[in-house]
Amino acid sequence: MPVTLARMPALAPLLARGALLSPLKRPRAGDRFPDDWLVLPELRLDLARLAAYERVCGFATGEDALPLTYPHVLGFPLAMRLMSARAFPLPLLGLVHTAIDVTRHRPQPATGVYELAVRVDGLRPHRRGTEAAVTTELRTAGDVVWESRSTYLARHATAPPKTPDAPGARRPDPRAPLPARADWQLGADVGRRYGAASGDRNPIHLHPFTARLFGFPRAVAHGMWTVARCLAAHGAPEAVRMRAQFRAPVLLPGRVTYAADAGRFELRGGDRVHLVGDVSALVPPA
């Protein structure tokens, strides 16, 4: 059932609550989860914040259309409210964004008024723990104009998958590396700049010291920044489906290679693949 919100939740208290509750959570098979929709009925965009997002991700600024990835940023506080709640069985600390699947049915004007809705719609076992799926919808006059499904992994001890086709089992990627299109030198401040524009100030993205607290040698770029940066270079049709998988963290500062061919793209660092994705135009119904 829908739970209507009067305003956008503030992220900082949600992240703090999630951090405090994380040590108390022990994921188990068969865990239940709240599956209500959180709904923000009248969302108007902050155009200055949108412009900051466009600049840090490499999108053109000033266009009256949202970048393909921006509604994810709008829905992120609602997702954090759900995943930081006591009733959500996975610990927020250490939760890893593993993939995102986005469908844009038509462009969204930056000056529009939208209904934003987010819910957790499933948990499933993964070879490294438990994976949660979060669905986000952007609606206009009751119609879904943009939707996404993100998966987040909570690592914990689990039995190994019995077959290669078990959920979360690693499968070899038979595709050859894509041709390189550009090399990007990433500064140490990318995580702080993206965090300021998106509101996602997870400490692993901000400074080497705070990243080391979570096992990283340096700050790590946001996964959604990497896919947005690739899409800014790649482009996308107006009605489109985009899928991306986050394979390995991008350490900051660092040098990466953007590669693409036809509808596919990837981000590499030497022989390591950080991100793979593809875009395809939606076929209108007959």
Side-chain angles (χ1 to χ4, degrees):
M1 62 179 296
V3 176
T4 302
L5 305 179
R7 62 182 64 86
M8 182 70 76
L11 266 173
L14 297 177
L15 294 173
R17 181 178 70 178
L20 291 173
L21 291 176
S22 288
L24 307 178
K25 298 187 177 184
R26 298 289 186 271
R28 298 181 300 272
D31 275 335
R32 300 179 64 84
F33 60 93
D35 61 352
D36 292 333
W37 285 99
L38 289 186
V39 179
L40 192 63
E42 291 190 8
L43 175 66
R44 291 174 171 82
L45 275 63
D46 181 332
L47 298 183
R49 183 181 172 192
L50 171 61
Y53 175 88
E54 291 169 333
R55 285 192 295 269
V56 72
C57 295
F59 292 105
T61 59
E63 296 184 357
D64 188 25
L66 301 186
L68 179 58
T69 46
Y70 195 65
H72 172 87
V73 172
L74 300 174
F76 187 68
L78 276 65
M80 286 299 100
R81 174 163 165 167
L82 291 169
M83 293 193 288
S84 66
R86 189 178 297 274
F88 184 70
L90 306 183
L92 188 64
L93 283 183
L95 208 60
V96 178
H97 196 182
T98 54
I100 185 168
D101 188 332
V102 171
T103 300
R104 181 171 65 191
H105 298 280
R106 62 177 185 267
Q108 299 89 49
T111 52
V113 180
Y114 300 98
E115 181 179 83
L116 179 66
V118 180
R119 71 165 178 163
V120 178
D121 66 2
L123 300 178
R124 71 172 189 172
H126 186 280
R127 65 187 180 87
R128 292 185 174 176
T130 301
E131 201 169 55
V134 176
T135 293
T136 302
E137 292 184 354
L138 201 64
R139 305 167 183 163
T140 300
D143 294 333
V144 176
V145 295
W146 184 101
E147 57 189 314
S148 74
R149 187 176 191 271
S150 281
T151 51
Y152 297 88
L153 173 64
R155 293 189 176 99
H156 58 83
T158 184
K162 295 180 180 179
T163 70
D165 294 324
R170 185 182 294 276
R171 299 173 178 83
D173 189 345
R175 300 181 297 187
L178 299 176
R181 303 297 182 186
D183 289 327
W184 297 331
Q185 183 66 45
L186 309 182
D189 65 341
V190 166
R192 295 189 291 274
R193 292 171 56 217
Y194 182 84
S198 69
D200 183 358
R201 291 182 172 89
N202 186 318
I204 67 171
H205 303 303
L206 303 181
H207 299 280
F209 172 74
T210 54
R212 282 195 291 270
L213 296 176
F214 296 91
F216 296 97
R218 304 197 301 276
V220 176
H222 295 72
M224 284 305 298
W225 178 85
T226 64
V227 70
R229 183 67 187 89
C230 287
L231 287 169
H234 190 278
E238 289 189 347
V240 63
R241 183 180 183 188
M242 186 279 297
R243 294 171 292 187
Q245 294 180 352
F246 305 107
R247 296 282 183 85
V250 175
L251 298 178
L252 301 171
R255 189 176 183 84
V256 292
T257 298
Y258 162 68
D261 187 37
R264 295 169 52 204
F265 61 89
E266 63 188 21
L267 199 64
R268 302 193 299 260
D271 294 330
R272 194 176 200 190
V273 178
H274 298 289
L275 167 74
V276 295
D278 63 77
V279 293
S280 56
L282 292 184
V283 178

